[in-house]
Amino acid sequence: MPLTDLPLDQLRVYDAALTEPSGFDTFWQDTLAQARAAAEPHPTATPDQSTLLTAIDVYDVRFPGWRGRPVAAWLLLPHGAEELLPTVITYIGYSGGRGLPTDHLLFPCAGYAQLVVDSRGQGHDTLDHGEGPGTQWVEGFMTRGIDDPRHHYYRRLITDCVRAVDCAPGLPHVDADRIVVQGASQGGGLALAVAGLVGDRVAALLSDVPFLCHFRRGADIAGDGPYVELARYLRLHTRDQPERAFATLNHFDGVHFAARATAPALFSVGLMDPVCPPSTIYAAYNRYAGLKDIRVWPYGDHGGGYGSSSGEHLHWLRHTGLSPLMS
């Protein structure tokens, strides 16, 4: 995959020149207040022994998300844990769900608690009923409710992700003072959104090759992946004016969440990424308000650093003071 975006020296100073919507903070304050007010059921964690794992304890979790509706998650713990543990809340990439517990062994094997959050409508265990009159014009989730931010799919999904942070302290062995939000691609964009919305309630952010950043730039230059859905939609519906679509998406843009996030953060970028072009990632990274670092993979595609990313995460968390070995 060739280099198709700006040179690295230009990426490091790239400014998206993206203006946030009027009332952005009020939109999200009201959205989250509604979800919290509807949160009647408490989170539940049921032991799951179907995986036959012996070094990790697995719980099948349900917690109230958008409008109080149940969201599925896995809670994975080092076997026999007795103390509160630093906890990684993981969000999932586009078109995937929480999968199986055996898909998520790194962090519990390193001594962390891990809460793996299902993505409504994308995974098998959390339904998305949709809201309002928004229409899905092309495949995928990008254009669901694109006529109005109140009805857009990502309003519901981001709300679920914030509610995971709200509910995690009620689960076994989760240390509320040491919560890390983490993900790659869509998961990285969701983790960034959560960091911007919950402030100092998260201790750190791990955001690999994040999606959901600088939507217009992504629609203009991405050669693969979900941003292409936007280009297809706008190609078919030019009479609806692109400005209306991007005005909706601007309420969910990681560039704005980055400006509000203060937790220490580690990002990553693949300079040959056709799905999340490097300039979309740097648009958010350069606006990030907290202490930050970024791992640059010069020949990386959307897989970023692949297996090398795991070691980077564990070493960085230890340097940040969030290793279970330092408890």
Side-chain angles (χ1 to χ4, degrees):
M1 189 65 63
L3 294 168
T4 58
D5 206 341
L6 301 173
L8 184 57
D9 60 341
Q10 294 181 34
L11 291 170
R12 286 172 171 154
V13 296
Y14 180 70
D15 183 359
L18 189 62
T19 302
E20 69 183 42
S22 175
F24 180 86
D25 288 320
T26 300
F27 173 84
W28 280 107
Q29 289 165 3
D30 291 347
T31 294
L32 297 177
Q34 291 172 23
R36 288 164 177 153
E40 301 244 340
H42 295 290
T44 61
T46 305
D48 185 308
Q49 298 176 338
S50 62
T51 60
L52 302 181
L53 296 173
T54 59
I56 295 172
D57 294 334
V58 178
Y59 292 84
D60 187 4
V61 170
R62 295 294 184 278
F63 67 89
W66 168 259
R67 295 198 170 178
R69 294 170 182 161
V71 178
W74 296 118
L75 177 64
L76 300 100
L77 303 169
H79 176 63
E82 297 181 355
E83 70 278 16
L84 294 178
L85 297 171
T87 301
V88 177
I89 299 181
T90 295
Y91 306 113
I92 304 300
Y94 196 75
S95 76
R98 65 174 180 164
L100 300 173
T102 47
D103 298 332
H104 310 284
L105 301 182
L106 173 69
F107 287 110
C109 284
Y112 293 87
Q114 184 177 17
L115 184 67
V116 182
V117 180
D118 203 33
S119 297
R120 60 171 49 243
Q122 299 184 36
H124 296 290
D125 301 316
T126 306
L127 299 177
D128 180 43
H129 301 285
E131 302 291 334
T135 302
Q136 180 188 4
W137 289 97
V138 297
E139 76 280 5
F141 299 87
M142 297 295 292
T143 58
R144 290 189 180 186
I146 203 165
D147 291 336
D148 190 325
R150 295 171 300 172
H151 303 144
H152 197 272
Y153 170 80
Y154 277 104
R155 186 186 186 208
R156 304 190 291 278
L157 182 55
I158 291 172
T159 298
D160 291 345
C161 295
V162 170
R163 292 290 295 137
V165 175
D166 291 348
C167 295
L171 298 172
H173 304 292
V174 170
D175 188 340
D177 294 326
R178 293 185 291 170
I179 288 178
V180 179
V181 287
Q182 179 266 336
S185 190
Q186 176 185 259
L190 294 171
L192 175 59
V194 171
L197 288 169
V198 306
D200 61 5
R201 290 170 54 213
V202 295
L205 163 68
L206 294 170
S207 183
D208 285 300
V209 294
F211 176 48
L212 308 176
C213 299
H214 201 351
F215 287 95
R216 184 185 288 271
R217 176 76 172 172
D220 285 349
I221 70 170
D224 197 2
Y227 288 125
V228 176
E229 294 175 20
L230 294 177
R232 289 174 182 158
Y233 172 84
L234 295 171
R235 188 178 304 129
L236 295 170
H237 302 279
T238 53
R239 289 183 304 169
D240 296 337
Q241 298 297 324
E243 297 307 320
R244 182 177 183 180
F246 288 117
T248 290
L249 294 170
N250 206 15
H251 289 76
F252 313 104
D253 202 303
V255 172
H256 307 317
F257 294 123
R260 291 162 167 78
T262 57
L266 180 65
F267 287 71
S268 73
V269 60
L271 297 188
M272 292 186 174
D273 189 343
V275 176
C276 293
S279 56
T280 67
I281 294 169
Y282 270 96
Y285 178 77
N286 290 340
R287 289 270 189 103
Y288 195 82
L291 295 173
K292 61 191 178 185
D293 198 359
I294 188 166
R295 297 292 180 265
V296 178
W297 305 102
Y299 293 93
D301 57 13
H302 196 52
Y306 288 87
S308 297
S309 297
S310 298
E312 294 287 334
H313 291 164
L314 296 179
H315 283 289
W316 185 83
L317 288 171
R318 186 171 187 179
H319 177 76
T320 309
L322 290 167
S323 171
L325 300 175
M326 304 173 72
S327 299

